[in-house]
Amino acid sequence: MEIAKTIQSVRALVKAARREGKTIGLVPTMGALHSGHLSLVKAANKQTDFVVVSIFVNPSQFGQGEDFENYPRDLKADAKACERAGVDVIFAPTVQQMYPRENLTWVNVENLTETLCGRSRPGHFRGVTTICAKLFNIVMPDTAFFGQKDAQQAIVIKRMVDDLNMPLEIVVCPTVREENSLAISSRNIYLTETEKKDSTVLYEALQKCREMIQKGVTNSRALITEMRSMIEQVPSAKIDYISIVDAETLQEVARAEGKILIALAVHIGRARLIDNILMDLRK
Ligand code: AMP
């Protein structure tokens, strides 16, 4: 496994793999790798011949007062995990490599970025789409792999790729959870043991919502009220949003019907946690 720190070196490695007729898979990450990330690597290894994992804590997707400085970074441990997982190249550029001067060109996906996390994190998705566009241009993968855990991100990236005719496929992989059902995230390290236990209420609320829908409750307000009251019983939890949206447009729906995304963001202690489930009620 190689660790490329410059754009030039990762391009050379990918070019050599291409010359051997290999297909290229890209797994974009911010590092502090965990089994969620490694599930994407596994999918990439299955579906492509040459796997690049990018590790870059992208400043442009962090808002003021967010955790850019404190975000966990451990390239040594990440390299070990990647090596074990059969990654071919880690691309770990510096901020200077990726943003050598003031960035004047931004990719902005409209509408889809104005709801859910976009509402509470203005500018976040503009940073995400811009860094992904840059990574796609640098690595030129056949396929890039994203996690369902960040559902809005996956939908926004897919739309960018479609709208701008970017020549790659986006694959979205299922959310990997701890044994206690908490969605695994690099930010879970901010949680104390008690907060970790508290955090299981997020998925419990989502599951309760799914059960209620399966039993015939379709009124979004009633469903959200139930989830809200479950989460509010946990003293350390501060709800950012709980929404039921159309899975394509990400607009709120009054009734749970069609293909919907039930999504929430909740602050627990120092961590802002997100989770979601997709339901296809079209049949
Ligand atoms: P991050 O390093 O948090 O930017 O995440 C990099 C990629 O890993 C994104 O596509 C995430 O959606 C994905 N990811 C993060 N956590 C999980 C998880 N628990 N299950 C599946 N994918 C995940």
Side-chain angles (χ1 to χ4, degrees), residues 28-31 34 36-37 40 71 146-147 149-150 153 174-176 184:
T29 81
M30 297 205 299
H34 50 65
H37 296 117
L40 306 186
Y71 196 85
F146 290 85
K149 199 205 121 224
D150 299 270
Q153 168 172 281
T175 302
V176 178
I184 298 178

Side-chain angles (χ1 to χ4, degrees), residues 44-57:
N45 263 324
K46 237 189 218 157
Q47 295 181 46
T48 60
D49 305 319
F50 189 85
V51 176
V52 180
V53 171
S54 63
I55 296 180
F56 182 62
V57 185

Side-chain angles (χ1 to χ4, degrees), residues 66-81:
E66 289 188 356
D67 56 347
F68 175 69
E69 264 88 33
N70 298 326
Y71 196 85
R73 292 164 172 85
D74 190 347
L75 186 56
K76 249 196 193 159
D78 289 349
K80 264 196 200 153

Side-chain angles (χ1 to χ4, degrees), residues 136-180:
F136 295 166
N137 282 332
I138 291 164
V139 176
M140 294 200 283
D142 298 277
T143 314
F145 298 82
F146 290 85
Q148 176 62 27
K149 199 205 121 224
D150 299 270
Q152 185 174 18
Q153 168 172 281
I155 290 165
V156 166
I157 297 284
K158 268 191 173 172
R159 185 58 183 246
M160 171 185 79
V161 164
D162 268 10
D163 283 354
L164 297 181
N165 307 97
M166 293 180 170
L168 76 156
E169 191 197 341
I170 301 299
V171 169
V172 183
C173 303
T175 302
V176 178
R177 299 179 180 281
E178 306 268 14
E179 241 170 72
N180 69 6

Side-chain angles (χ1 to χ4, degrees), residues 224-245:
I224 290 169
T225 301
E226 177 62 27
M227 288 189 278
R228 184 172 289 279
S229 74
M230 281 178 78
I231 294 171
E232 278 173 351
Q233 278 169 34
V234 173
S236 64
K238 213 175 120 252
I239 297 169
D240 177 350
Y241 67 79
I242 304 174
S243 291
I244 302 181
V245 297

Side-chain angles (χ1 to χ4, degrees), residues 242-257:
I242 304 174
S243 291
I244 302 181
V245 297
D246 179 283
E248 256 169 48
T249 64
L250 299 185
Q251 296 302 308
E252 281 174 15
V253 292
R255 306 210 143 267
E257 53 196 13

